[in-house]
Amino acid sequence: MYLLVNTVGKYWRVHYRFADKHKTLALGVYPDVGLAKGRAPGQGGAQD
């Protein structure tokens, strides 16, 4: 998970791979979605 920062705003993003293709999932806009809320959807990913 990382925070993408550009001139328009800040966005939480997650890179993952599915069926040998790289994908990016947008989790929300910072600060509307904080670090704890941003981490919650990804808890079951690579850790399982």
Side-chain angles (χ1 to χ4, degrees), residues 6-21:
N6 59 27
T7 58
V8 179
K10 299 175 185 175
Y11 306 93
W12 290 112
R13 299 285 173 101
V14 174
H15 279 299
Y16 65 98
R17 186 172 18 199
F18 180 75
D20 290 331
K21 292 185 180 181

Side-chain angles (χ1 to χ4, degrees), residues 27-44:
L27 299 176
V29 179
Y30 179 85
D32 295 338
V33 176
L35 181 59
K37 286 184 182 179
R39 283 183 175 173
Q43 289 298 317

Side-chain angles (χ1 to χ4, degrees), residues 1-5 11-15 24-25 27:
M1 185 170 90
Y2 65 97
L3 187 64
L4 174 68
V5 179
Y11 306 93
W12 290 112
R13 299 285 173 101
V14 174
H15 279 299
T24 302
L25 176 66
L27 299 176

